[in-house]
Amino acid sequence: LLGGEQGTIYPSAAEREKPPQKPFELPEANTNMRRVFAYLMKQRHIDRDVIAYFAKAKTLFEDSKYHNCVFVGTDEQGIPRHAHKRSANSLGKSFRQNVEGSDPRYSFHWNGTSDRLYVFEAPIDLLSFLTLYPKDWQRHSYVALCGVGEQAMLWMLEQAPGIRHPILCLD
């Protein structure tokens, strides 16, 4: 096949240095949440009280530049460490992205007091579940992975050793 030629070994590509990670910074909040409320209520059928609860907790807001839904994850002291943006339009292809510099351990979540942790792929899945099962929802813990990485779930289990029943609510 090679006519007696043994061929040559191609050198491996040199390893590239990773660019330094940008520091985490929340997108600028819009002055109101009209588009986010309209999208979540009219298109996704999320309960107004559920949306308002997370908006008052400052873990859900509308960004000023593109009017995306922004779902915020905080650390143990309540400091924002993660943000997930999702387009609030219902036409065309939807946009979903974690904000650069986000720590995946601290994705959008709620800490309850029961022994249950409900795990979702996306924040809207979490909000939909709360809309379907609103009775005493604050008792339980919830986390959105904002993708498929397990870091947020493992962090929640580490922080709350009383959780005995992780329930995977994944597509």
Side-chain angles (χ1 to χ4, degrees):
L1 202 65
L2 294 174
E5 177 68 32
Q6 295 298 314
T8 58
I9 297 174
Y10 290 99
S12 299
E15 283 197 33
R16 295 181 184 173
E17 280 189 38
K18 289 183 181 178
Q21 187 174 358
K22 278 188 171 181
F24 173 72
E25 189 176 322
L26 282 175
E28 184 179 336
N30 197 29
T31 56
N32 64 61
M33 286 184 55
R34 271 195 321 255
R35 292 185 194 183
V36 166
F37 263 91
Y39 170 72
L40 292 175
M41 287 175 54
K42 293 181 181 185
Q43 299 298 319
R44 303 310 293 257
H45 305 288
I46 306 294
D47 182 76
R48 173 184 286 279
D49 294 335
V50 170
I51 299 166
Y53 189 92
F54 288 99
K56 286 177 187 169
K58 299 193 184 320
T59 57
L60 171 61
F61 67 90
E62 180 177 319
D63 79 350
S64 64
K65 190 170 184 179
Y66 298 107
H67 304 283
N68 292 312
C69 304
V70 180
F71 299 92
V72 179
T74 58
D75 66 12
E76 302 85 350
Q77 288 77 38
I79 298 168
R81 300 285 183 201
H82 185 279
H84 181 77
K85 295 190 287 187
R86 203 258 187 237
S87 60
N89 71 21
S90 55
L91 302 172
K93 193 171 182 175
S94 63
F95 168 80
R96 292 179 289 261
Q97 181 180 45
N98 292 330
V99 171
E100 196 169 1
S102 289
D103 186 333
R105 294 176 297 168
Y106 301 109
S107 67
F108 184 68
H109 66 277
W110 168 259
N111 291 322
T113 56
S114 81
D115 63 352
R116 292 185 185 179
L117 171 64
Y118 293 88
V119 181
F120 302 89
E121 285 182 37
I124 291 178
D125 298 340
L126 190 160
L127 298 180
S128 297
F129 183 86
L130 300 181
T131 297
L132 290 170
Y133 302 101
K135 187 177 181 198
D136 299 326
W137 71 263
Q138 290 97 342
R139 288 184 45 234
H140 308 299
S141 296
Y142 307 87
V143 64
L145 301 176
C146 298
V148 292
E150 75 281 354
Q151 298 97 321
M153 178 186 68
L154 296 175
W155 176 80
M156 293 279 292
L157 292 170
E158 186 179 306
Q159 298 304 308
I163 293 175
R164 299 280 182 243
H165 302 286
I167 302 161
L168 303 179
C169 306
L170 307 172
D171 296 345

